[in-house]
Amino acid sequence: MTSGRWRRPGTRGRRERPRVVAAVFVVLLVLLGVPVGGSAGAVAPLQPVPSLTPAVKPDRTRALVTLTKVTPTVVAPGTDVTVTGVVTAPLTGPLTAPTVQVRLGSRDITTRPALDDWASGRTTNSGRRVAETTLADIAAGDEAPFSVVVPAAELRNPDAFAALPISVEVVQQGASAAIGMTRTFLAWNSRKEFEPIQVATLMPVTLDPVVELFSQEQAVRDAAWSKVIGPGSRLGRLVEGTKGSPVTLAVDPAVFGPAVEAVRPGTSGSTGSTVTPTTTPTTTPTGTTSSAPSTTPAPPSGTPSATPSVGATTDAGGTGQAAGPDAVVSDLADQLAADLRGRPVIALPYADADVAASGAINPADPPVRALVGRSSLVAEELGSAARGDIAWPVDGLLPNGREKQLKAIWAGSTVKKVAGIVVDQRAITADSPYTPTARRVAAGGTRLLGYDARLSALLPRRSDPTPVLSTQRYLAESLVLLGERAGTPRSALVVAPRTYDTDPRALSTFLEATSNVPWLEPVDATSLLTDRSSERAVAQQRPAQAPPSAAPAPTLTTARLAQMATQRSTMLSVSEVLANGDVVAATYGELLDELTSARWRWNRAGWTTLGTSVSADITAATRAIRVVPRSVNLFAERGTLQVTVVNGLDDVVENIRLLLVPNNPRIQIVEQPGPITIQPGSRAIVPVQVAAVAAGKVEIMAYLTTADGTVIGTPAAIRVQANPLDSTIYWAGGTLIGIVLLAGIARTVLRGTSRIDEIEDIEAVTAAHAAGEDLDPR
């Protein structure tokens, strides 16, 4: 029996019912994963993972300064500032009694370009020295910690708020120039003379583009899912790092495991392989037929078992009973869901469908619209509301026509309407002396959530030694942003890219520091969809130059999307005649859904691998159900053709129809055969009654169809040499022979005595003739 089924709303969780999670996608792949020890078992809850920040690698010629902490986060009048960090000596020699100096830049930082100039070193003057400390000698390549205190008097500033540029430099004993430095900022705030900026942070919880997630090998699959959503994974680090913070998470429903249970290859829910066609072959045809060859070939032993063998996952005893869902994937998904509950979330389309690419190709594509509708699975999984009406194109752009395309996609889905679009501010903003609010509105009236690319780029990454520079730069950026229009209520949106990877402790530290400053008010990202009394959305503008895409080029093309639609239709047709058809349709439907994902932009080769495998499997499946071609001589007015139908799949084919279509009227099909059932790896001999109208060659095309007439499988030609011997010919021939016999008898009776009988002395006549006596005198 099959075990695949669609997941019904509101029924996830092992306490309510067994989880329907795909464990095995039937795909021909070259797998590179490492098997895990077991195929099932509980997974430990997500635990805070240790810091994974990389060690600082020494430079060859210069000293490196790594900041580990700046306290306090916000500098107020009368407050000393402590800067701590680590100095790493160059590889070419030691640092002799080095001095760590803190210098305060003399130039006011009031614009974002000025921030860039200071941080990059384009501002050459480091300013005056405000603090220093001397360290012991540091051997080449070694490191030493430092802590230096900047007195409050050195940081006094008349402004209500400001970004103070500082430089932390290392100077060798007796040298005048620094051998190493790092530049950052201090956040100054003496009084509240501003309207706080509402800041929303949005981070994607999406799968990595890993082909092994859809492996047919359970050990490889389990290992891949553990690496992608398990403890210590990229997603695990992101979820752990945002715990307790006001970050809004954009969740792809696919992170909870595929929505349909699939099956292992080479197994079947049915037992035995005896051919049991519904149409019983007859052994006594009304006519005489001879075939060449006289026997039909056996199913090919090389029939691929990946796609064709779509049977239920069976137990060890081989009883055909379902073994149930993959426990490892199920437990991983359950733990991830538990860790996300209670968080502010929005729901992405299933598999994070690339709505940017597909919308430009065909906004009416039914599968993509269905994926948008399946965003509701997030709410079902978490047991709380999750908006699915916010579009987040992966490239962050809004070219001409995209608003209309996205509205068409959402309108054709169960969501019905797109409420907002997440977009890069630079794609909707003309040149301006100040940064606009995140609350925007498109030309067609759709709300836009414009994110700030500069702030977004400052989220701490796993490659950063520490989050200090990101934190201090973020605070400085926000202060400059505030200074553009300090008295005007505004909002800002910060987003992480789909591939965002971070250290959980670094991210947690960053979010805590940036969420607790007076001039920033953390809010849920969905709040930006509506105006507040003091802030209204700003209309979309045309930029002077389009910003760069936030993602690589799309993998979806017009040809690929069309091919996927054809493949989906093909598998739906094949599944209609399979006993395990629901599983087959769902399995390949899921795989095709995954191929629409935006994540493959970062792994184009992976898309090709998975796409090629699916294509090969579908082709193999359609070829595995076929009619065997043959040649037949028909020596009768009526006869029975024996048509062989082969099922090369590892699943029962049922309710399939055989349709015979002659290419000329010499042969007529008396009655098309009824439904046929064929066991796995078997064949059925189907009798078909035909009538020969005239002599000659006829080619009959044999098609396999579903009940509604959809052609599936591989058709074949049956060549017939018709030689009809009609019964009229037999009667006419018999009558003619009878007449000839009767005529001979009548002639004999009517003519009487023969001339031979009238000769009295036959012997004398014979002798005279022999002597020449009867020669003619002439």
Side-chain angles (χ1 to χ4, degrees):
M1 303 297 293
T2 63
S3 59
R5 56 195 179 278
W6 288 107
R7 182 171 60 200
R8 290 179 290 180
T11 55
R12 179 176 277 277
R14 290 187 301 279
R15 290 193 178 100
E16 293 83 7
R17 69 171 179 86
R19 295 221 356 211
V20 182
V21 180
V24 188
F25 275 104
V26 188
V27 188
L28 295 173
L29 304 174
V30 178
L31 302 173
L32 302 176
V34 179
V36 295
S39 60
V43 176
L46 289 174
Q47 299 293 335
V49 297
S51 177
L52 299 175
T53 52
V56 176
K57 295 181 179 180
D59 188 82
R60 180 173 175 78
T61 59
R62 64 188 180 94
L64 301 179
V65 180
T66 304
L67 302 184
T68 58
K69 196 172 185 181
V70 175
T71 54
T73 302
V74 180
V75 181
T79 304
D80 294 342
V81 174
T82 302
V83 179
T84 60
V86 176
V87 173
T88 305
L91 292 172
T92 52
L95 294 176
T96 305
T99 299
V100 178
Q101 302 177 355
V102 178
R103 293 181 174 271
L104 179 65
S106 58
R107 180 182 175 184
D108 292 337
I109 303 295
T110 59
T111 65
R112 296 182 121 179
L115 285 168
D116 295 337
D117 291 342
W118 176 260
S120 65
R122 288 193 293 269
T123 302
T124 57
N125 184 5
S126 295
R128 61 186 177 86
R129 184 172 59 194
V130 295
E132 68 176 13
T133 186
T134 302
L135 306 179
D137 293 351
I138 307 174
D142 285 354
E143 59 184 33
F146 70 86
S147 179
V148 58
V149 178
V150 182
E154 298 288 353
L155 299 175
R156 187 180 299 113
N157 191 291
D159 296 331
F161 56 89
L164 306 179
I166 65 169
S167 176
V168 183
E169 305 178 356
V170 178
V171 181
Q172 280 271 38
Q173 185 182 48
S176 58
I179 190 174
M181 73 168 65
T182 188
R183 289 187 170 190
T184 187
F185 306 89
L186 299 178
W188 168 267
N189 180 215
S190 61
R191 57 192 180 275
K192 184 178 180 180
E193 293 182 357
F194 49 75
E195 184 71 28
I197 299 174
Q198 288 189 337
V199 178
T201 304
L202 182 63
M203 294 188 179
V205 179
T206 57
L207 294 175
D208 295 333
V210 176
V211 175
E212 286 78 12
L213 292 173
F214 315 107
S215 168
Q216 63 176 339
E217 299 294 336
Q218 182 172 338
V220 175
R221 183 184 61 256
D222 289 348
W225 279 96
S226 295
K227 291 177 182 178
V228 171
I229 68 172
S233 65
R234 182 185 68 83
L235 285 189
R237 293 191 292 271
L238 187 151
V239 171
E240 178 65 27
T242 55
K243 186 178 295 183
S245 72
V247 171
T248 302
L249 299 175
V251 181
D252 172 7
V255 299
F256 303 120
V260 65
E261 182 180 348
V263 292
R264 292 179 185 172
T267 60
S268 174
S270 303
T271 58
S273 59
T274 304
V275 179
T276 54
T278 303
T279 304
T280 306
T282 177
T283 58
T284 309
T286 58
T288 303
T289 64
S290 65
S291 61
S294 60
T295 58
T296 54
S301 59
T303 300
S305 62
T307 302
S309 48
V310 187
T313 303
T314 56
D315 58 14
T319 61
Q321 299 300 315
D326 187 313
V328 169
V329 178
S330 177
D331 287 347
L332 287 168
D334 276 345
Q335 184 55 54
L336 177 61
D339 208 54
L340 289 174
R341 290 192 180 100
R343 308 279 194 95
V345 301
I346 65 173
L348 294 172
Y350 189 85
D352 191 18
D354 197 339
V355 293
S358 62
I361 297 169
N362 180 15
D365 186 65
V368 173
R369 287 178 167 182
L371 295 177
V372 170
R374 289 172 65 190
S375 61
S376 61
L377 293 174
V378 172
E380 296 172 15
E381 184 70 42
L382 303 183
S384 59
R387 298 188 65 159
D389 56 356
I390 299 176
W392 186 358
V394 69
D395 57 11
L397 304 178
L398 195 69
N400 291 336
R402 176 163 293 180
E403 179 193 8
K404 184 178 180 181
Q405 294 162 5
L406 296 178
K407 289 171 74 172
I409 293 174
W410 261 257
S413 74
T414 55
V415 180
K416 298 302 182 185
K417 182 179 180 181
V418 59
I421 304 172
V422 179
V423 60
D424 190 334
Q425 281 277 33
R426 298 172 296 175
I428 54 175
T429 305
D431 291 339
S432 171
Y434 64 91
T435 306
T437 180
R439 289 179 166 92
R440 306 294 296 271
V441 61
T446 306
R447 292 300 293 253
L448 303 176
L449 288 73
Y451 64 82
D452 191 294
R454 291 174 63 100
L455 286 176
S456 299
L458 295 173
L459 290 169
R461 298 177 182 270
R462 193 180 174 193
S463 57
D464 297 338
T466 75
V468 173
L469 292 182
S470 293
T471 302
Q472 299 305 124
R473 177 65 181 270
Y474 184 97
L475 295 175
E477 288 274 358
S478 63
L479 285 168
V480 171
L481 192 63
L482 179 70
E484 290 177 352
R485 303 183 101 183
T488 302
R490 287 190 294 163
S491 55
L493 176 62
V494 177
V495 303
R498 296 298 206 278
T499 56
Y500 181 59
D501 192 7
T502 186
D503 172 70
R505 292 197 302 185
L507 179 59
S508 179
T509 300
F510 173 89
L511 293 173
E512 182 180 3
T514 57
S515 299
N516 294 285
V517 294
W519 61 92
L520 297 179
E521 178 189 348
V523 296
D524 189 328
T526 59
S527 68
L528 302 180
L529 292 172
T530 56
D531 293 337
R532 52 177 174 163
S533 58
S534 55
E535 179 191 1
R536 295 188 178 278
V538 176
Q540 168 190 356
Q541 299 171 317
R542 182 182 295 276
Q545 183 176 0
S549 170
T555 54
L556 293 182
T557 62
T558 301
R560 284 178 170 178
L561 209 58
Q563 180 187 32
M564 290 161 63
T566 300
Q567 291 171 337
R568 194 181 300 269
S569 176
T570 299
M571 288 313 298
L572 285 174
S573 298
V574 172
S575 67
E576 289 185 23
V577 299
L578 297 180
N580 204 22
D582 289 344
V583 175
V584 174
T587 297
Y588 282 92
E590 286 288 313
L591 284 172
L592 291 170
D593 289 343
E594 293 294 342
L595 286 171
T596 66
S597 178
R599 80 179 79 104
W600 300 111
R601 290 186 182 223
W602 285 271
N603 185 4
R604 304 178 72 84
W607 192 101
T608 301
T609 297
L610 189 58
T612 301
S613 222
V614 171
S615 180
D617 288 352
I618 292 175
T619 300
T622 56
R623 290 178 178 175
I625 308 174
R626 60 191 180 88
V627 176
V628 177
R630 63 180 303 193
S631 297
V632 176
N633 291 322
L634 180 62
F635 296 105
E637 180 187 20
R638 287 176 176 267
T640 301
L641 293 181
Q642 304 288 347
V643 181
T644 302
V645 182
V646 174
N647 173 18
L649 304 178
D650 283 355
D651 193 19
V652 177
V653 171
E654 57 186 11
N655 202 31
I656 194 171
R657 311 301 174 94
L658 177 63
L659 176 65
L660 299 183
V661 180
N663 69 344
N664 68 59
R666 293 191 185 100
I667 291 288
Q668 296 180 352
I669 308 302
V670 176
E671 182 180 4
Q672 297 287 355
I676 307 166
T677 296
I678 316 175
Q679 294 299 321
S682 302
R683 65 178 63 202
I685 307 299
V686 183
V688 182
Q689 298 297 319
V690 298
V693 177
K697 293 181 179 180
V698 180
E699 185 173 89
I700 302 176
M701 292 304 298
Y703 299 92
L704 296 173
T705 74
T706 61
D708 63 2
T710 302
V711 176
I712 62 171
T714 305
I718 299 176
R719 295 175 176 82
V720 179
Q721 177 64 54
N723 297 286
L725 299 177
D726 196 280
S727 59
T728 303
I729 297 176
Y730 291 107
W731 284 107
T735 302
L736 180 59
I737 293 173
I739 292 174
V740 171
L741 291 174
L742 290 175
I745 295 171
R747 180 173 178 274
T748 300
V749 172
L750 293 176
R751 293 186 63 179
T753 304
S754 170
R755 290 184 60 191
I756 295 176
D757 296 334
E758 296 176 355
I759 301 175
E760 295 179 355
D761 191 353
I762 187 64
E763 293 181 359
V765 172
T766 302
H769 176 72
E773 295 178 358
D774 60 344
L775 294 176
D776 190 342
R778 291 175 297 176

